[in-house]
């Protein structure tokens, strides 16, 4: 959670001109705590602290707990003293990583230009998505709604002409808000802030500047560079002066690309029958697993996407005990995820499955699952699917498919059913 000083007067309407403001900073609100609330709704409205017992520190706290003065990195003992009524939840990093990946995948559908800077924060450059999706505030609002609907967590979005300003904007939009700082309002926005709000100004720099009577960004901007350089050093002084005027030339650089392999299909007619949805899911898993084998990778994380006919999109993912390239394993995970989704009784419009967190199969030391270890023919299923690959190689991709009861011949092509199946090779950010 951010501890940067804020200015209450900075969170206001700065205008609606969105030309030249294509940089978004997306920051999840009280992320670990919100992940816990998403699966334990009974905790909503309570002061909740995520952290270890005993000598641990606070990793996240709900806004109800922050009202008592609880902050991240504070010793748990101090936090408990400030807020004795707080509900303490031990961290589940695996869960937070899963939600983070899913959120980043949602962003990747908007633009590949995503620079993740922590588990719950990323910059996006949406200049290339404007024509397709609309102005940045429309993109930001839609992303916020999608993330909340799919994952039950909220994020705040700052929109500005560069990364420095966008991050300041999201800080001031928190919690659960969005703030646009138009290009022409950038300097006025900055002038409302204390120097400590600037990225890279810690307590030491703050006190050095204070000796020269500089405590606000406005004073920083109006100081001459030589004075600032005398106060905090040549390079740092010049840099701070640039920031005070909102000058930040750093582009958004897509980071840590991770391959994922996925496939999804929109039904020709919205489906009430879950058996039909499951059958389609099995076909999709079969196709995704075949592509994993083809590319020599195994997946650690299976993610399911379901869209109901009210256009609500739900994403769920599960990290597997043992990475796999076997359709049956993908399907088991995807089917369980589907069973746990609350469809609110609505018919399904789209279903998709994605293999994420891919690793090279060769570099992966094979481990047997309990299931395989106790069966008479370990890895028999994989061999069977490899045999299918060989048949498809000779007779075409759709010659043969997996059926719920084993192997079956596909009688209909998706085109004949009026469906729209989309193969996709997304590039996701980690
Ligand atoms: Mg955050």
């Amino acid at each position: 959670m951010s501890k940067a000083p804020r200015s209450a007067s900075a969170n206001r309407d700065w205008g609606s001109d969105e030309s030249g403001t294509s940089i978004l900073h997306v920051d999840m609100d009280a992320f670990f705590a919100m992940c816990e609330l998403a699966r334990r709704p009974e905790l909503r409205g309570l002061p909740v602290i995520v952290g270890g017992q005993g000598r641990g520190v606070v990793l996240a706290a709900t806004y109800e707990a922050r009202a008592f003065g609880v902050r991240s990195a504070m010793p748990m003992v101090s936090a408990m003293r400030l807020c004795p009524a707080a509900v303490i939840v031990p961290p589940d990093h695996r869960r937070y990583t899963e939600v983070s990946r899913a959120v980043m995948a949602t962003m990747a559908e908007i633009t590949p230009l995503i620079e993740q800077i922590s588990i719950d924060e990323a910059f996006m450059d949406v200049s290339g998505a404007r024509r397709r999706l609309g102005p940045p505030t429309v993109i930001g609002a839609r992303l916020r709604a999608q993330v909340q609907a799919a994952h039950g967590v909220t994020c705040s979005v700052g929109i500005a002409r560069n990364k420095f300003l966008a991050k300041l904007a999201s800080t001031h939009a928190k919690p659960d808000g969005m703030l646009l700082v138009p290009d022409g309002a950038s300097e006025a926005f900055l002038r409302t802030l204390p120097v400590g709000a600037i990225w890279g100004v810690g307590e030491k720099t703050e006190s050095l500047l204070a000796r020269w009577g500089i405590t606000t960004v406005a004073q920083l901007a109006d100081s001459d560079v030589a004075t600032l350089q005398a106060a905090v050093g040549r390079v740092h002084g010049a840099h701070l002066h640039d920031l005070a005027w909102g000058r930040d030339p750093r582009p958004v650089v897509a980071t840590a690309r991770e391959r994922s392999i996925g496939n999804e299909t929109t039904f020709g007619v919205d489906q009430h029958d879950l058996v039909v949805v499951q059958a389609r899911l099995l076909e999709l898993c079969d196709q995704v697993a075949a592509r994993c084998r083809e590319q020599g990778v195994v997946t650690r994380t299976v993610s399911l996407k379901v869209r109901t006919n009210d256009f609500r999109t739900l994403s769920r993912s599960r990290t597997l005990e043992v990475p796999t390239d076997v359709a049956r394993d993908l399907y088991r995970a995807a089917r369980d995820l589907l069973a746990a989704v609350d469809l609110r009784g609505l018919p399904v419009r789209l279903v998709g499955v994605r293999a994420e967190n891919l690793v090279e199969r060769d570099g992966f030391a094979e481990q047997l699952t309990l299931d395989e270890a106790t069966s008479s023919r370990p890895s028999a299923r994989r061999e069977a699917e490899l045999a299918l690959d060989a048949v498809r190689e000779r007779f075409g991709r759709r010659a043969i498919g997996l059926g719920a009861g084993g192997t079956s011949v596909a009688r209909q092509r998706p085109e004949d059913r009026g469906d729209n199946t989309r193969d996709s090779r997304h590039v996701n950010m980690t």
Side-chain angles (χ1 to χ4, degrees):
M1 63 185 106
S2 172
K3 285 176 292 183
R6 297 198 221 174
S7 159
S9 58
N11 187 15
R12 66 164 175 89
D13 186 356
W14 290 97
S16 56
D17 178 11
E18 297 187 52
S19 53
T21 54
S22 289
I23 309 301
L24 269 58
H25 180 254
V26 182
D27 192 353
M28 310 303 295
D29 304 317
F31 183 52
F32 294 177
M34 292 297 282
C35 286
E36 297 297 342
L37 261 53
R39 59 178 172 182
R40 294 172 63 183
E42 72 275 12
L43 296 179
R44 280 185 196 284
L46 299 177
V48 175
I49 298 174
V50 177
Q53 301 289 342
R55 294 194 297 165
V57 296
V58 173
L59 298 173
T62 59
Y63 289 87
E64 287 82 359
R66 294 181 194 201
F68 289 88
V70 175
R71 296 288 179 268
S72 71
M74 177 183 277
M76 286 298 280
V77 181
S78 315
M80 299 278 284
R81 207 176 298 132
L82 288 167
C83 187
V87 179
I88 310 298
V89 180
D92 177 356
H93 292 286
R94 193 162 151 164
R95 169 78 186 147
Y96 311 147
T97 303
E98 277 181 16
V99 177
S100 172
R101 280 179 190 285
V103 169
M104 296 297 155
T106 305
M107 291 186 210
E109 290 176 18
I110 296 168
T111 173
L113 265 181
I114 299 171
E115 181 176 348
Q116 187 172 358
I117 54 176
S118 74
I119 189 168
D120 75 329
E121 257 180 274
F123 288 108
M124 302 171 73
D125 181 341
V126 299
S127 47
R130 278 173 176 254
R131 272 180 69 180
R132 186 167 46 96
L133 299 171
T137 52
V138 171
I139 293 173
R142 209 180 75 158
L143 173 65
R144 286 182 4 90
Q146 279 181 338
V147 166
Q148 183 159 25
H151 313 295
V153 293
T154 62
C155 61
S156 295
V157 173
I159 304 169
R161 71 176 179 219
N162 59 35
K163 295 205 291 193
F164 168 65
L165 286 160
K167 179 153 167 88
L168 279 174
S170 75
T171 300
H172 287 85
K174 282 188 165 294
D176 195 14
M178 187 164 76
L179 183 62
L180 164 70
V181 177
D183 191 5
S186 302
E187 288 77 22
F189 167 74
L190 283 169
R191 292 181 81 91
T192 62
L193 306 176
V195 280
I198 289 186
W199 222 352
V201 174
E203 276 170 34
K204 192 179 160 217
T205 305
E206 221 175 329
S207 70
L208 287 173
L209 290 169
R211 276 188 230 162
W212 292 75
I214 300 166
T215 58
T216 67
V217 176
Q219 289 166 338
L220 194 60
D222 296 338
S223 304
D224 58 63
V225 181
T227 305
L228 298 177
Q229 290 176 324
V232 299
R234 202 170 58 83
V235 176
H236 198 31
H239 182 55
L240 286 181
H241 193 252
D242 278 343
L243 293 180
W245 285 98
R247 293 191 284 259
D248 176 15
R250 296 166 307 156
V252 172
V253 180
T255 43
R257 281 155 187 273
E258 178 184 281
R259 260 189 310 170
S260 71
I261 297 174
N263 206 348
E264 62 185 42
T265 176
T266 303
F267 290 102
V269 178
D270 295 342
Q271 278 301 330
H272 265 294
D273 190 349
L274 267 192
V275 174
V276 175
V277 178
Q278 284 174 349
R280 187 61 56 84
L281 199 53
L282 178 61
E283 289 177 18
L284 294 171
C285 289
D286 180 28
Q287 292 156 8
V288 168
R291 276 163 57 197
C292 286
R293 292 191 294 271
E294 191 181 289
Q295 296 182 26
V297 291
V298 287
T299 173
R300 287 180 189 278
T301 306
V302 179
S303 90
L304 170 84
K305 176 172 167 183
V306 187
R307 184 170 296 149
T308 43
N309 76 335
D310 59 349
F311 283 88
R312 193 172 59 119
T313 305
L314 300 133
S315 303
R316 297 285 183 275
S317 61
R318 168 177 295 182
T319 299
L320 303 170
E321 297 269 319
V322 180
T324 187
D325 59 3
V326 174
R328 182 195 54 176
D329 298 340
L330 295 185
Y331 176 66
R332 279 181 175 169
R335 183 193 56 193
D336 291 352
L337 289 167
L338 178 66
V341 163
D342 178 11
L343 298 172
R344 298 184 189 163
L346 294 170
V348 173
R349 181 182 159 77
L350 170 151
V351 66
V353 68
R354 179 166 295 279
E356 296 168 348
N357 210 350
L358 303 176
V359 288
E360 299 301 321
R361 186 182 159 78
D362 289 344
F364 166 69
E366 201 164 350
Q367 293 171 282
L368 295 180
T369 61
L370 187 62
D371 200 28
E372 278 178 336
T374 52
S375 84
S376 55
R377 284 283 327 272
S379 305
R381 186 68 195 190
R382 182 162 196 276
E383 284 170 26
E385 292 189 16
L386 283 170
L388 284 185
D389 291 345
V391 172
R392 286 162 174 154
E393 179 100 13
R394 277 192 72 181
F395 300 108
R397 226 166 216 298
R398 299 201 180 273
I400 205 167
L402 294 178
T407 306
S408 72
V409 176
R411 287 180 197 84
Q412 280 181 306
R413 299 165 64 85
E415 303 86 279
D416 302 333
R417 294 184 293 225
D419 294 343
N420 162 30
T421 299
R422 188 157 68 95
D423 273 321
S424 56
R425 274 156 217 244
H426 275 257
V427 172
N428 287 343
M429 308 300 134
T430 52

